[in-house]
Amino acid sequence: MRYISTRGDAPSLSFEEVVLTGLARDGGLYVPETWPQMSKEDIRALAGKSYAEVAAEVLQPFLGDAISPAEFRAMTEKAYSSFSHEAVVPLTQLGPNEFLMELYHGPTLAFKDVALQLLGLLYDHLLGKQKKRVTIVGATSGDTGSAAIEACRGRDAVDIFILHPAGRVSDVQRRQMTTVLDSNVHNIGIDGDFDDCQALVKAMFNDLDYRDELNVSAVNSINWARVMAQIVYFFTTAVSLGAPDRPISFSVPSGNFGDIYAGYCAYKMGLPVDQLIVATNKNDILSRFFNTGEYRKDGVDQTVSPSMDIQVSSNFERFLFDLYGRDADVVKTMMSQLDEDGGFSANMSQLNQNIFSAGMCNEEETLSTIKGMLAASNKLVDPHTAVGLKVGADCRRNNKIPLVTLSTAHPAKFPAAVESATGIHPELPEHLVDLFEREERLTLLPNDLATVQTYIKERARVLSSV
Ligand SMILES: *Cc1c(COP(=O)(O)O)cnc(C)c1O
């Protein structure tokens, strides 16, 4: 399998290269050259297999010959043994044909663990073969950071630098990052918002000399391996609900468009999907796009679902590339319009033919959905999940088709919102009960590229031998 850039000017890469690279050198994102196909029989044969077995089977075609099937099977087993639920990603029924996919049973309580637990092992495997070190640089609006740090802590081949918007992530989210004291972990609080953090990271990737010198790699969902690992749960869930003999709809709380894009990948691989519902909070650039064709920046507001407080969705470019028949020139034009004019328009007739629907859930609706879920189903959900539930209900076309809402975080990760909606303070699971007593380590830096670059360069061990 080769990977190509959405902007057409970077060389195609192998799986190994694409995992270690992240952003393409032309500023684009890597996507598989073709979509591996799963026939109905292939999909049917997944029934009854463990999560780790399905992961190994569904993902093997993306690896090329980078990792043998037996080695990869051992990696998926190890990655998902860190989850506290036997099913890894269990499904809960909420009502007739309504389900919740619980993605929060990993070590840091958000869906990002599903991909990052595997990515940590991939780094070890691929770097061990090459006897190299990487410098991981990532921006987080809260959950990616802790999941990436948890996946990379203590790994000798990796130094990890995570930028978060200072004061704009929840206390639980911050502490899950800053209380990891391994010497290869560096937390940087930036005086700015998430988009500022993401822009700093992008700028470091686009500074090719810096990037090469420090061997910079990405753990954000611009890294193909992140998206790839997320494809698996669309298959396991759909199969447990009767796929391939029945289509399934998914409602996905969305920010950077990584999770829902993984659902789109599953669809392109042959999974029968009826609707993919893009659920946003009031930072609704994606919802506006799917309803009007206009993709336009509009500032970022802080919400009770902070992991979706973004202005520009980094993975969206991958979808645009497909929407325009994989024409890199169109993508390039649109992305330069986004930089220069703050937005672009797409052709609605093209958009109307696809499986996406989209909607927005405001702050009040988020809280009332949390409250309503507790009353109706005796289930505490986090604010991101609530956004998915509300928009899923709004956009659903057909009650006979199962609707699965992705529950992207544990309610205890966002206790303030959950408590204000329900009066109940959600308890952290056992492995995190002493989180607020642990020592924190964190550096605050201004929103200034040169300062951040110097800070990282002084600490990265990439030049010393492994
Ligand atoms: C990251 C995150 C999202 C958004 O996912 P994207 O892949 O960025 O669209 C939603 N909910 C939670 C809890 C998250 O951590």
Side-chain angles (χ1 to χ4, degrees):
M1 172 68 74
R2 302 293 296 177
Y3 292 85
I4 55 173
S5 165
T6 50
R7 304 213 185 157
D9 295 327
S12 79
L13 298 182
S14 67
F15 178 74
E16 224 164 317
E17 292 165 324
V18 100
V19 171
L20 298 177
T21 304
L23 199 64
R25 296 179 85 85
D26 57 6
L29 299 175
Y30 277 104
V31 293
E33 198 165 34
T34 55
W35 295 110
Q37 291 302 302
M38 300 274 293
S39 69
K40 279 195 167 191
E41 288 65 42
D42 296 337
I43 296 171
R44 212 171 277 126
L46 300 175
K49 294 191 172 158
S50 74
Y51 190 87
E53 278 175 294
V54 175
E57 259 174 62
V58 170
L59 302 183
Q60 186 69 44
F62 290 109
L63 311 182
D65 50 16
I67 309 170
S68 75
E71 281 175 310
F72 189 59
R73 177 70 186 83
M75 285 166 84
T76 61
E77 195 64 41
K78 187 165 175 198
Y80 297 116
S81 66
S82 65
F83 280 62
S84 63
H85 197 288
E86 213 177 331
V88 182
V89 178
L91 198 61
T92 313
Q93 184 149 20
L94 300 175
N97 268 335
E98 273 180 57
F99 301 85
L100 208 57
M101 190 203 293
E102 295 182 5
L103 290 162
Y104 54 72
H105 295 282
T108 71
L109 313 181
F111 85 90
K112 279 146 179 126
D113 287 323
V114 180
L116 283 160
Q117 285 294 306
L118 185 62
L119 185 59
L121 297 174
L122 284 169
Y123 274 124
D124 255 8
H125 183 88
L126 301 175
L127 291 167
K129 271 196 346 200
Q130 300 181 4
K131 301 209 184 314
K132 269 203 208 153
R133 274 208 173 93
V134 286
T135 307
I136 290 174
V137 180
T140 187
S141 53
D143 297 329
T144 300
S146 56
I149 287 169
E150 196 57 46
C152 295
R153 65 188 295 178
R155 292 190 194 279
D156 189 43
V158 176
D159 288 309
I160 180 164
F161 295 84
I162 295 293
L163 280 54
H164 71 264
R168 296 187 188 216
V169 300
S170 78
D171 291 343
V172 175
Q173 286 179 315
R174 188 192 68 250
R175 286 186 153 271
Q176 282 186 307
M177 299 191 278
T178 56
T179 59
V180 178
L181 303 179
D182 299 68
S183 62
N184 70 329
V185 171
H186 305 269
N187 279 290
I188 303 172
I190 294 291
D191 184 14
D193 61 27
F194 172 64
D195 284 294
D196 295 326
C197 296
Q198 190 154 265
L200 286 168
V201 170
K202 272 214 161 187
M204 283 185 261
F205 272 92
N206 288 329
D207 180 343
L208 298 181
D209 292 336
Y210 184 82
R211 174 175 171 175
D212 289 343
E213 188 181 358
L214 296 188
N215 206 9
V216 179
S217 180
V219 284
N220 284 76
S221 52
I222 54 176
N223 189 315
W224 165 255
R226 283 273 309 272
V227 172
M228 178 190 86
Q230 291 168 199
I231 294 171
V232 177
Y233 44 72
F234 289 91
F235 276 96
T236 55
T237 302
V239 167
S240 72
L241 293 174
D245 302 303
R246 185 187 192 203
I248 313 291
S249 294
F250 297 93
S251 177
V252 187
S254 294
N256 266 321
F257 207 73
D259 212 3
I260 195 158
Y261 178 73
Y264 172 79
C265 298
Y267 167 69
K268 295 301 275 185
M269 291 170 73
L271 190 70
V273 175
D274 186 59
Q275 279 184 285
L276 281 176
I277 299 170
V278 185
T280 71
N281 66 23
K282 68 179 176 176
N283 297 298
D284 63 346
I285 184 167
L286 288 168
S287 162
R288 282 184 282 121
F289 175 78
F290 282 101
N291 287 301
T292 67
E294 177 92 356
Y295 191 78
R296 188 155 296 281
K297 295 191 212 175
D298 188 22
V300 193
D301 288 331
Q302 278 184 264
T303 72
V304 293
S305 46
S307 304
M308 308 194 296
D309 290 349
I310 55 100
Q311 163 153 244
V312 172
S313 294
S314 49
N315 267 293
F316 186 63
E317 181 168 340
R318 290 189 158 114
F319 170 66
L320 272 185
F321 185 59
D322 264 26
L323 186 68
Y324 282 90
R326 303 204 137 200
D327 186 337
D329 289 331
V330 176
V331 173
K332 266 193 284 193
T333 306
M334 287 179 156
M335 290 300 140
S336 66
Q337 282 175 358
L338 183 64
D339 282 344
E340 283 152 28
D341 315 331
F344 59 80
S345 299
N347 181 335
M348 271 317 271
S349 65
Q350 236 151 339
L351 261 183
N352 287 337
Q353 288 164 19
N354 70 54
I355 56 173
F356 288 92
S357 316
M360 185 271 275
C361 175
N362 67 29
E363 296 290 278
E364 224 179 312
E365 291 165 335
T366 306
L367 296 179
S368 66
T369 303
I370 296 174
K371 190 173 174 194
M373 271 301 292
L374 185 65
S377 307
N378 198 28
K379 183 98 186 148
L380 268 189
V381 294
D382 99 288
H384 304 79
T385 306
V387 168
L389 287 164
K390 163 73 170 68
V391 176
D394 288 348
C395 293
R396 185 180 198 181
R397 282 190 302 244
N398 183 344
N399 290 340
K400 297 204 170 64
I401 293 172
L403 173 64
V404 178
T405 298
L406 275 63
S407 184
T408 48
H410 190 291
K413 210 158 179 176
F414 302 94
V418 173
E419 190 165 357
S420 85
T422 62
I424 295 173
H425 185 83
E427 295 300 328
L428 282 165
E430 204 170 344
H431 72 279
L432 290 169
V433 278
D434 64 341
L435 186 66
F436 281 82
E437 279 112 64
R438 295 181 194 169
E439 179 189 342
E440 285 191 81
R441 201 177 63 211
L442 160 74
T443 303
L444 295 171
L445 291 180
N447 177 17
D448 176 64
L449 180 62
T451 308
V452 177
Q453 281 187 309
T454 305
Y455 181 87
I456 294 174
K457 194 170 165 177
E458 285 170 358
R459 285 159 185 82
R461 298 170 303 159
V462 65
L463 297 175
S464 58
S465 59
V466 179

